[in-house]
Amino acid sequence: MNTPMHPNEPREQQLERLIDKALRDQPLRRAPAGFEDKVMAAIAQRAAAPWWRDSFAGWPVAVRLLFLIASVGFAKAGLDATALIIDPLDPATRGASLFASVAWIPSLLSTIGAVLRDLPSLWIYGGLSVLGALYLTLFGVSAAAYRTLYVPR
């Protein structure tokens, strides 16, 4: 391997050039028998997969927009339901006919709202911290289980 070394060239570039030449000098090798067929079949299978199995960026633009609108709608509905639970129910403003058949729901919701309003903020932050730690623990245990069960050695 007689690669010309330039004295002003940094050592990393000299090493890169040396490795590049060594790799280019290697003889070309054929793929194992049947490997090309397997690769082509995998490419064809991926191309024939429906669009919803593709990544979100590969979805049609109209479907992505519809998905985002539906997601915002579901989030708004969830926030509205949470506000309905936390806010004390005033039959004059919420409509008494909504709970006419089940009289215990307004008192239950106002009790839950009162309890949530009277919780110290330290408890709320502590509870959120515990939930975050539990989520991270679940993520870690799931990753460890996946590596143990599915990753080949």
Side-chain angles (χ1 to χ4, degrees), residues 4 10 13 15 30 38 51 62 64 66 75 77-78 96 101 107-108 111 120 123-124 135 147:
Q13 287 182 352
L15 182 62
R30 297 273 314 155
K38 289 179 185 177
W51 59 266
R64 282 189 279 175
L66 184 65
S101 62
S107 62
L108 174 69
T111 304
W123 286 20
I124 293 173
Y135 177 76
R147 290 189 69 164

Side-chain angles (χ1 to χ4, degrees), residues 36-48:
E36 182 180 355
D37 295 332
K38 289 179 185 177
V39 170
M40 295 308 284
I43 291 172
Q45 183 182 16
R46 184 170 286 176

Side-chain angles (χ1 to χ4, degrees), residues 106-123:
S107 62
L108 174 69
L109 293 179
S110 66
T111 304
I112 291 173
V115 167
L116 289 177
R117 273 193 311 279
D118 291 340
L119 277 177
S121 62
L122 182 64
W123 286 20

Side-chain angles (χ1 to χ4, degrees), residues 6 11 26 38 41 50 52 82 89 105 116:
H6 301 289
R11 180 121 174 98
Q26 296 295 316
K38 289 179 185 177
W52 64 84
T82 304
L89 291 177
I105 290 179
L116 289 177

Side-chain angles (χ1 to χ4, degrees), residues 56-127:
F56 183 73
W59 289 8
V61 175
V63 176
R64 282 189 279 175
L65 186 62
L66 184 65
F67 178 79
L68 290 175
I69 291 171
S71 297
V72 168
F74 282 123
K76 183 180 179 340
L79 290 173
D80 287 346
T82 304
L84 210 149
I85 290 173
I86 291 176
D87 289 343
L89 291 177
D90 182 19
T93 59
R94 299 281 185 207
S97 63
L98 180 63
F99 300 110
S101 62
V102 191
W104 57 271
I105 290 179
S107 62
L108 174 69
L109 293 179
S110 66
T111 304
I112 291 173
V115 167
L116 289 177
R117 273 193 311 279
D118 291 340
L119 277 177
S121 62
L122 182 64
W123 286 20
I124 293 173
Y125 294 137

Side-chain angles (χ1 to χ4, degrees), residues 123-133:
W123 286 20
I124 293 173
Y125 294 137
L128 290 175
S129 298
V130 167
L131 285 175

Side-chain angles (χ1 to χ4, degrees), residues 1 14-25:
M1 289 185 209
Q14 291 176 358
L15 182 62
E16 179 182 346
R17 188 186 322 213
L18 185 68
I19 292 173
D20 181 62
K21 182 173 181 343
L23 290 176
R24 288 186 188 274
D25 290 343

